[in-house]
Amino acid sequence: MAGRGGLLMLENFIGGKFLPCSSYLDSYDPSTGEVYCHVPNSGKEEVEAAVEAARAAFPGWSSRPQERSQVLQRLADLLEQSLEELAQAESKDQGKTITLARTMDIPRAVHNFRFFASSILHHTSECTQMDHLGCLHYTVRAPVGIGVPPGVVNIVFGTGPRVGEALVSHPEVPLISFTGSQPTAERITQLSAPYCKKLSLELGGKNPAIIFEDANLAECIPTTVRSSFANQGEICLCTSRIFVQRNIYSEFLKRFVEAARMWKVGIPSDPSADMGALISKAHLEKVRSYIKKARMEGAQILCGEGVDKLNLPPRNQAGYFMLPTVITDVKDESCCMKEEIFGPVTCVVPFDSEEEVIQRANNVKYGLAATVWSGNVGRVHRVAKKLQSGLVWTNCWLIRELNLPFGGMKSSGVGREGAKDSYEFFTEVKTITVKH
């Protein structure tokens, strides 16, 4: 709906109705730095209403898997029909390119709904017999969350300290699925601990790419540019540390920087743009601070921030843009090699041996994803097995199979997503014994 100054004003969605809020937050267009809509600044009252609506809807909805499947399929149809409208909204809100929203974000959402609509109908239970006792044991699973008649889906906008804390500490919210930063996950864990809630936490990463001397650089370089800078580097799975075997290091670095400079940073609506704007001004400044720290430590900035000129239209000069930035001559102990930057910044360093690079790749607190580039199948399997990462791609990046687990090790999270793992997380298992 239209709000102050004719700007878009969002509303909470609770119990099947759009509801206004007593106060609102400004939301900025990352490509211009200007306020473009107002978002509810919700609190405990709105959370309480949403929880009550969900509780009321749960008994009937949770007992009808066939209907749930049909609703998810219908949602997928509606997303597909509104693909362009949703892509435009996602691009404007996030600062990402319209091309990425059109070709990945919305189509992926459609695919996910269709996949889980089918998955609902094809899970099996366990059963064992104890003939000597005349007993049969079997399991059933009861849903914990719910999914689109009134009360099934509730959307409550707000800040973490107000609406987030009220939600995760609510005694009637049995589980929490969260994607975000480690500090926020620590707070969620603290607040939910008294209630022994189930947690699925998909957190940060400091993802390595390991490029051996026999890698196919014609495929490796463009893919690694994409894995480093796609969506402005604001993907938890993006590459931020690139280890290159020493005897191809110089060649790789030259070609990689050339390819990075070819990536076009432009306004999100430009279909030829490879990168748009970062999510917020505060985040842009945070990412820039890492470049400053790298310079202070004696590292070299080969392209990007502070090296190359960023050309933008006058209206977008105040937007949150940054060029793809490549750092070299950086030590493994540097914050740029240890901490998640979550921006279009990657570090490139040489290595000598397989054993060495595995140790260095694992020498961070995160363990979300990794990529390995080599034509040696034996090496690929050896290295993948030893890397402390929940996902390892070899000679590719960001190919997902929803049947298989997704999630990280160490400080990159708790739990996994995927067909079987999601089924187990969002249900409670019950064992039933029948003596006959």
Side-chain angles (χ1 to χ4, degrees):
M1 64 177 288
R4 303 188 299 268
L7 298 178
L8 177 68
M9 181 173 285
L10 301 185
E11 296 178 326
N12 291 321
F13 185 71
I14 300 173
K17 298 177 181 178
F18 288 100
L19 301 175
C21 191
S22 59
S23 65
Y24 286 81
L25 302 166
D26 290 337
S27 182
Y28 293 82
D29 179 343
S31 72
T32 63
E34 299 171 353
V35 175
Y36 90 97
C37 78
H38 304 293
V39 180
N41 185 21
S42 307
K44 288 185 178 180
E45 182 180 345
E46 289 82 5
V47 168
E48 191 64 48
V51 171
E52 184 55 38
R55 287 182 63 196
F58 181 74
W61 181 246
S62 63
S63 63
R64 300 194 291 268
Q66 187 70 40
E67 181 180 340
R68 297 203 308 272
S69 176
Q70 292 169 354
V71 167
L72 293 183
Q73 291 285 8
R74 178 59 179 150
L75 278 172
D77 292 340
L78 292 171
L79 286 174
E80 245 175 359
Q81 292 168 19
S82 304
L83 187 149
E84 182 59 25
E85 180 183 357
L86 292 169
Q88 292 284 351
E90 178 71 0
S91 174
K92 189 176 187 67
D93 183 62
Q94 298 290 308
K96 66 178 58 182
T97 66
I98 185 63
T99 301
L100 191 69
R102 280 180 185 143
T103 59
M104 187 173 79
D105 290 18
I106 310 306
R108 186 70 190 188
V110 172
H111 174 71
N112 286 3
F113 274 115
R114 294 208 192 285
F115 178 89
F116 285 102
S118 174
S119 180
I120 289 172
L121 305 176
H122 300 295
H123 284 288
T124 58
S125 61
E126 298 170 311
C127 179
T128 63
Q129 291 182 221
M130 296 178 69
D131 291 337
H132 64 293
L133 294 178
C135 287
L136 174 73
H137 308 269
Y138 65 96
T139 62
V140 294
R141 283 192 171 269
V144 179
I146 49 178
V148 181
V152 170
V153 172
N154 300 281
I155 302 171
V156 182
F157 294 94
T159 63
R162 278 173 55 86
V163 73
E165 295 205 356
L167 183 62
V168 301
S169 62
H170 197 292
E172 297 297 329
V173 175
L175 60 79
I176 301 163
S177 177
F178 171 75
T179 299
S181 71
Q182 184 190 355
T184 304
E186 291 174 2
R187 182 63 176 156
I188 289 171
T189 303
Q190 293 168 358
L191 292 170
S192 63
Y195 305 97
C196 299
K197 298 178 186 235
K198 295 173 72 175
L199 300 178
S200 176
L201 307 174
E202 199 273 280
L203 310 177
K206 194 64 184 172
N207 310 312
I210 300 175
I211 300 164
F212 286 98
E213 59 188 353
D214 60 344
N216 181 344
L217 295 186
E219 293 182 3
C220 170
I221 288 173
T223 303
T224 307
V225 168
R226 186 168 67 90
S227 73
S228 301
F229 306 124
N231 198 44
Q232 305 76 244
E234 295 173 320
I235 301 174
C236 59
L237 302 167
C238 273
T239 300
S240 55
R241 297 180 295 150
I242 304 174
F243 296 92
V244 186
Q245 201 149 27
R246 194 174 298 275
N247 57 349
I248 63 166
Y249 178 74
S250 296
E251 179 189 0
F252 174 89
L253 193 58
K254 177 177 179 293
R255 292 169 61 178
F256 184 78
V257 170
E258 289 173 351
R261 279 195 164 117
M262 292 294 293
W263 263 48
K264 180 179 177 180
V265 177
I267 60 175
S269 59
D270 181 354
S272 68
D274 298 298
M275 278 174 44
L278 278 73
I279 187 65
S280 70
K281 184 176 182 179
H283 186 59
L284 174 64
E285 292 306 318
K286 175 191 170 184
V287 176
R288 283 175 171 166
S289 74
Y290 280 97
I291 310 300
K292 294 176 184 175
K293 291 175 184 176
R295 284 198 175 96
M296 291 173 62
E297 294 171 347
Q300 300 296 312
I301 315 300
L302 297 189
C303 66
E305 180 70 14
V307 176
D308 300 310
K309 185 178 180 181
L310 178 57
N311 295 309
L312 294 167
R315 182 170 183 265
N316 302 95
Q317 293 292 325
Y320 317 136
F321 295 90
M322 177 184 281
L323 289 164
T325 301
V326 179
I327 303 175
T328 60
D329 296 329
V330 58
K331 294 180 172 61
D332 288 2
E333 296 75 26
S334 167
C335 62
C336 294
M337 289 285 282
K338 291 284 192 181
E339 300 174 13
E340 184 180 43
I341 299 175
F342 209 66
V345 179
T346 195
C347 300
V348 187
V349 295
F351 74 91
D352 293 300
S353 70
E354 183 178 309
E355 294 75 17
E356 170 210 339
V357 77
I358 292 170
Q359 186 276 326
R360 292 171 65 190
N362 289 338
N363 191 31
V364 292
K365 68 178 182 179
Y366 297 107
L368 182 55
T371 56
V372 179
W373 290 88
S374 174
N376 185 319
V377 175
R379 172 189 281 157
V380 160
H381 286 291
R382 281 195 311 273
V383 174
K385 187 175 181 179
K386 293 178 181 178
L387 287 173
Q388 295 169 359
S389 298
L391 303 96
V392 180
W393 285 288
T394 63
N395 301 321
C396 63
W397 179 69
L398 209 59
I399 296 176
R400 287 284 313 281
E401 165 54 78
L402 289 179
N403 278 299
L404 299 179
F406 170 85
M409 299 179 179
K410 302 192 289 188
S411 292
S412 285
V414 175
R416 295 292 188 272
E417 301 170 6
K420 180 175 179 291
D421 298 271
S422 295
Y423 174 67
E424 291 178 352
F425 178 70
F426 288 104
T427 60
E428 288 284 9
V429 67
K430 179 186 297 184
T431 299
I432 299 173
T433 298
V434 179
K435 185 170 176 60
H436 54 82

